[in-house]
Amino acid sequence: MKKLLFLACIALSLAFVSCDKSKDCSCTVTTSSPEMLEASTTTSFVTIKSGKCDDLNADHSTTQPGFEGEEITVTQKSVCSEVK
């Protein structure tokens, strides 16, 4: 009986260790620029194998050539959260 209990404990501990740790994340990316009348927003779903969905959050700005030699700054903000 003790051996059976011991083997059951080992089996349960292996089952918990081998659990899938992947997470489904919902990420919203907002693109804006002073030249744009309205910000553009897109949402996508991503599955990550480890870490937190918050690790995907980022801010990014680029400068692009515009009309008549002026430069346009485009900003993108990514906000991700776990889908439950």
Side-chain angles (χ1 to χ4, degrees), residues 34-83:
E35 289 78 14
M36 295 173 68
L37 297 176
E38 191 173 309
S40 168
T41 302
T42 58
T43 301
S44 60
F45 296 93
V46 179
T47 300
I48 58 174
K49 293 186 179 189
S50 65
K52 300 182 293 185
C53 293
D54 293 348
D55 295 341
L56 300 174
N57 293 351
D59 291 332
H60 180 73
S61 293
T62 58
T63 304
Q64 302 174 353
F67 295 107
E68 299 177 7
E70 66 183 53
E71 290 185 338
I72 299 171
T73 301
V74 178
T75 304
Q76 289 185 322
K77 180 177 179 106
S78 173
V79 178
C80 299
S81 59
E82 186 174 354
V83 177

Side-chain angles (χ1 to χ4, degrees), residues 10-38:
I10 290 177
L12 280 174
S13 65
L14 289 175
F16 284 118
V17 170
S18 64
C19 289
D20 185 18
K21 293 182 173 43
S22 65
K23 293 181 180 124
D24 294 324
C25 306
S26 171
C27 297
T28 302
V29 178
T30 304
T31 304
S32 61
S33 172
E35 289 78 14
M36 295 173 68
L37 297 176
E38 191 173 309

